[in-house]
Amino acid sequence: MPWLGLIDKIDRSDLYVVLDTVQFERRGWQNRNYIAGDGGKQLLTVPVVQASRDERILDKQIDNTQNWRMKHLRALLNHSYRGAPYLDEYREEISGLFEQRWNHLAELSIATTLLTLRAFGIDTPVVRASRLGPLTGHKSELIAQVCTTVGADTLLSGSGARDYLDADVLKQHAVEVEWQGFEHPVYTQNKSGPGKFISHLAGIDLLFNAGPDSLELLRSARPPL
C-alpha cells in the first residue's frame, strides 16, 4: 500500500510509471508498509516466495501458503482503524481487495495503488515499465529510457534519490529533474494520543481519518515546485 509521499508524487505528475522491471529488494518496501498500531506503527508484510536474488519485481510470487490476506484485513478493519471516522466509506472496497487471491506481488501492489488513488480522487494515468517495450539501461540510464519512451521531458523525483540519481544522464536525454520536496501533512488520527502524530504510514491512514478532505490536506502541506 503506497505511502503519502508516493501518492503526492503521483498527484503532481502527468503519468506514473511502475518500475516493475528492476530487481526485487529484499527487506525493502516493495512488499510491506506501516499502518497505525496501538502506541505507534504496525508493519504489514506480504510474504513472498524466496527464489533467485536476481528476481525482478514483476516475477516475484506471493507465498499464499501463509494466511496473510485475512491477517491484514483483520488488522486494518478490526484493530488499527476500528472507530476511525471514515472507515465505513472504504470498508467494502478494502475487503474486496483482500478477499481476492493474488499470485504476483506486482499485481497486488498496483491494485492497492489504484484503489488508493481512486479514493483520493487522483486520476493520473498509471502504466507498467514492463509494457513499454525493451528497456536495456541500468540505474539512471534506465530511468532516462523510461522517460523518453513515454515522451516525458521532466522527471519528478523524491529527495531520497539524490544519492543515486544522476541528473546529468537524464539531461543527456533532454529530461530535466525536479525534486519533490515532500512535506508530510499533519491531521487528526484515531490511534494517536493527544499531541502525538504518527507519520509515514500507508496513505489509507489519511483516508480513514479524513475521508473526502484527504486530497486537500495532502496538497495543502505541499511546498511550491
Side-chain angles (χ1 to χ4, degrees):
M1 289 181 284
W3 79 294
L4 284 179
L6 178 57
I7 298 168
D8 176 74
K9 188 191 296 183
I10 297 173
D11 181 46
R12 297 189 194 194
S13 302
D14 299 308
L15 178 71
Y16 172 54
V17 180
V18 180
L19 197 60
D20 60 348
T21 58
V22 297
Q23 182 179 347
F24 173 78
E25 181 182 353
R26 294 191 180 192
R27 294 181 294 278
W29 295 103
Q30 294 157 357
N31 65 320
R32 60 182 183 168
N33 209 345
Y34 284 112
I35 60 172
D38 292 328
K41 300 178 180 180
Q42 177 182 349
L43 189 62
L44 293 186
T45 301
V46 178
V48 293
V49 177
Q50 299 295 356
S52 168
R53 288 185 174 273
D54 297 326
E55 278 185 296
R56 298 175 300 173
I57 293 173
L58 67 93
D59 299 321
K60 199 65 178 175
Q61 292 188 330
I62 295 173
D63 183 1
N64 282 312
T65 64
Q66 302 185 43
N67 189 27
W68 65 272
R69 289 182 294 140
M70 290 302 102
K71 178 182 177 182
H72 286 197
L73 189 58
R74 286 194 298 268
L76 288 165
L77 303 186
N78 299 340
H79 300 290
S80 290
Y81 295 105
R82 183 178 181 181
Y86 293 98
L87 173 62
D88 288 342
E89 298 289 331
Y90 310 103
R91 182 187 298 272
E92 183 176 351
E93 193 167 8
I94 290 286
S95 297
L97 186 143
F98 281 98
E99 289 166 359
Q100 182 175 343
R101 180 183 173 91
W102 301 93
N103 294 316
H104 287 88
L105 179 64
E107 302 289 346
L108 173 64
S109 178
I110 292 169
T112 59
T113 299
L114 293 176
L115 184 155
T116 306
L117 294 178
R118 287 194 302 270
F120 269 84
I122 298 170
D123 58 3
T124 302
V126 177
V127 299
R128 297 176 63 161
S130 56
R131 309 280 171 84
L132 297 178
L135 298 168
T136 58
H138 297 280
K139 299 182 178 179
S140 298
E141 182 68 29
L142 172 61
I143 302 301
Q145 287 181 0
V146 170
C147 290
T148 56
T149 299
V150 299
D153 57 16
T154 305
L155 171 72
L156 179 62
S157 179
S159 299
R162 288 182 184 271
D163 294 335
Y164 59 84
L165 184 67
D166 190 336
D168 289 336
V169 171
L170 277 85
K171 189 171 292 187
Q172 292 169 13
H173 291 262
V175 178
E176 296 293 328
V177 177
E178 289 186 2
W179 300 104
Q180 181 183 8
F182 175 66
E183 295 289 341
H184 202 295
V186 177
Y187 50 91
T188 301
Q189 295 170 312
N190 74 309
K191 276 290 183 181
S192 62
K196 296 181 179 180
F197 178 76
I198 307 170
S199 68
H200 291 70
L201 304 178
I204 58 171
D205 184 82
L206 176 54
L207 285 171
F208 289 163
N209 285 290
D213 296 327
S214 296
L215 186 55
E216 182 180 352
L217 285 166
L218 181 65
R219 289 173 173 174
S220 66
R222 173 185 305 171
L225 287 175

